[in-house]
Amino acid sequence: MADKKYDFATDCIHAGQEPDPITGAVNVPIYMTSTYAQDAPAEHKGFVYARGHNPTRYAFERAIAALEEGVNGYAFASGMAATATVLELLPAGSHIIACDDLYGGTYRLFERVRKQSMGLEVTYIDIIDKASLERAIKPNTKMIWVESPTNPLLKVIDLKMVASFAKEKGLIAVTDNTFATPYFQRPLTLGFDIVVHSVTKYLGGHSDMIGGAVVMREAGEMNDRIKFMQNAIGGILGPFESFLALRGLKTLAVRMDRHDASAKKIVAWLKQHKKVEKVYYPGYGGMISFVAKATLDDAKKMLSRAKVFTLAESLGGVESLIEHPGLMTHASIPAEQRKAIGIDDGLIRVSVGLEAPEDLIADLGNILR
Ligand SMILES: *Cc1c(COP(=O)(O)O)cnc(C)c1O
């Protein structure tokens, strides 16, 4: 972990990002090139073709690896491309144990793509203890896939317990760390093998790009395979997005601080509101879900009144977003399953941005009126 040197906030700004050796430019240039000149056949500077090699992408990959305290980072065109590439570690016919309250796109990839293309089997469970994992394990189980806090119910999973179970059973342990970000938790230090990110969310932080990342805990076969597949499959992050991701990362620590402080104020306000039945908040971060005393129709009307909050999918940007998981982000999960895991008609999810919390609270007051 060559680039982890200082406190987290310092590494956000400097890890993997030396000033340009030729000009001294303090920011990593955007290398818009598809190929690199060679001095003689097969004599080159380590850069051959840009699917495999790009200095802007490398800088972001070093930065995210340092922040997650892993050995290597790999950047992808989207969180889903990162997830899809990680799944390629598994042989056909593998079984995964996943948390039951999963990002809708991950669920869709498991159920509607990989089930067909690789005979993937997935068991979705409420991961509460080792016994719950033990009950789900099968002879062909190869991987455990968790998100913590989960989405949209923001349940917190005991990552240490999951990692130690995975190690005991020889399973690959993966955390999708999009919601917490390495500011709040670093699963690789708790024994996870792989961290996946949607860079689109907090890491990018400005709702202006789509990107994904994979970070590996250890050098070795699995790390080499991900590196190989990043190039072989080709779902790479482009140079411009890599620059935006780097630019976003620089302010990750201060942004997370503010997301967290504002969300805590909003949680306290929601808890005493008469139209709020239940508030889900993991105790940190900028994501809040709550159940409004509302029918589906009421909820639709409420959300249409948002002014400071933008009614939109996604999360983690400077602007506050509000959404209805049942109708929006989690609509791809079948209705019975949504109900079973608690995605109610009145469930509303907010991503608290960086606006003044007073304005956000006033807007929520109008939404819930
Ligand atoms: C958005 C998201 C993804 C998918 O990432 P994209 O960048 O949209 O492809 C995966 N996991 C979580 C938790 C997400 O929020």
Side-chain angles (χ1 to χ4, degrees):
M1 229 213 344
D3 295 309
K4 169 91 192 125
K5 287 190 198 130
Y6 300 104
D7 183 79
F8 186 86
T10 310
D11 280 338
C12 281
I13 295 164
H14 296 293
Q17 306 171 58
E18 297 303 316
D20 180 53
I22 297 168
T23 64
V26 294
N27 282 300
V28 178
I30 305 173
Y31 286 88
M32 297 300 265
T33 188
S34 60
T35 191
Y36 303 88
Q38 306 195 6
D39 296 331
E43 269 181 38
H44 51 73
K45 301 173 171 67
F47 293 84
V48 177
Y49 183 68
R51 180 171 6 86
H53 318 275
N54 183 282
T56 321
R57 193 181 85 219
Y58 282 178
F60 171 65
E61 291 176 339
R62 288 192 300 268
I64 186 61
L67 296 179
E68 285 287 4
E69 301 192 38
V71 283
N72 282 117
Y74 300 98
F76 292 87
S78 67
M80 292 323 303
T83 295
T85 304
V86 168
L87 292 181
E88 300 281 4
L89 287 170
L90 303 177
S94 294
H95 173 252
I96 295 181
I97 302 172
C99 56
D100 61 3
D101 181 19
L102 203 62
Y103 176 66
T106 304
Y107 179 84
R108 182 174 54 201
L109 177 65
F110 286 174
E111 292 298 313
R112 295 180 56 193
V113 181
R114 294 312 171 95
K115 213 172 197 170
Q116 293 173 40
S117 66
M118 60 172 278
L120 183 71
E121 283 181 69
V122 187
T123 304
Y124 304 91
I125 60 164
D126 188 7
I127 299 177
I128 36 179
D129 52 16
K130 281 201 180 182
S132 65
L133 291 166
E134 196 76 63
R135 278 194 296 276
I137 206 163
K138 296 185 181 192
N140 56 337
T141 306
K142 295 280 193 297
M143 182 177 274
I144 305 184
W145 191 284
V146 302
E147 287 174 27
S148 182
T150 64
N151 174 25
L153 298 178
L154 304 171
K155 283 188 286 195
V156 174
I157 292 172
D158 180 349
L159 294 181
K160 248 190 190 154
M161 177 279 289
V162 174
S164 92
F165 179 85
K167 191 162 189 195
E168 217 174 281
K169 305 287 182 184
L171 312 176
I172 302 170
V174 185
T175 302
D176 178 335
N177 205 26
T178 300
F179 271 46
T181 83
Y183 179 81
F184 287 112
Q185 89 192 354
R186 289 177 287 283
L188 302 180
T189 67
L190 304 174
F192 272 76
D193 302 296
I194 301 176
V195 157
V196 169
H197 273 285
S198 171
V199 177
T200 313
K201 314 296 168 49
Y202 285 110
L203 301 186
H206 295 72
S207 307
D208 56 5
M209 61 162 294
I210 297 278
V214 172
V215 186
M216 307 298 293
R217 187 187 64 219
E218 288 179 354
E221 211 178 305
M222 198 153 49
N223 172 62
D224 295 347
R225 184 78 187 153
I226 290 285
K227 182 182 170 69
F228 168 80
M229 291 192 300
Q230 183 194 33
N231 179 53
I233 300 170
I236 51 157
L237 191 67
F240 185 60
E241 279 73 16
S242 297
F243 173 84
L244 289 175
L246 276 170
R247 183 179 164 113
L249 269 193
K250 286 178 193 292
T251 54
L252 181 65
V254 281
R255 284 188 287 110
M256 294 316 287
D257 245 4
R258 175 64 177 260
H259 287 302
D260 180 67
S262 295
K264 283 180 172 136
K265 287 182 188 162
I266 292 172
V267 165
W269 180 86
L270 284 169
K271 281 191 168 157
Q272 51 76 50
H273 197 284
K274 61 182 189 309
K275 284 207 184 156
V276 174
E277 209 166 283
K278 192 167 183 186
V279 179
Y280 297 98
Y281 186 64
Y284 64 85
M287 297 302 297
I288 308 168
S289 291
F290 61 94
V291 181
K293 290 178 188 154
T295 62
L296 198 58
D297 226 38
D298 297 336
K300 266 189 180 170
K301 281 187 194 129
M302 282 178 172
L303 292 189
S304 309
R305 286 201 288 269
K307 284 209 177 77
V308 182
F309 280 89
T310 301
L311 177 58
E313 300 200 2
S314 199
L315 60 115
V318 293
E319 63 289 293
S320 294
L321 303 180
I322 191 163
E323 69 116 359
H324 189 280
L327 292 171
M328 296 167 68
T329 47
H330 291 64
S332 56
I333 298 174
E336 323 83 74
Q337 186 165 350
R338 279 204 309 265
K339 253 215 166 84
I341 61 182
I343 304 179
D344 298 323
D345 287 349
L347 185 74
I348 293 170
R349 190 188 79 180
V350 301
S351 170
V352 177
L354 306 183
E355 302 93 338
E358 297 72 24
D359 289 329
L360 296 175
I361 286 172
D363 202 39
L364 281 172
N366 187 46
I367 289 165
L368 289 169
R369 75 165 190 256

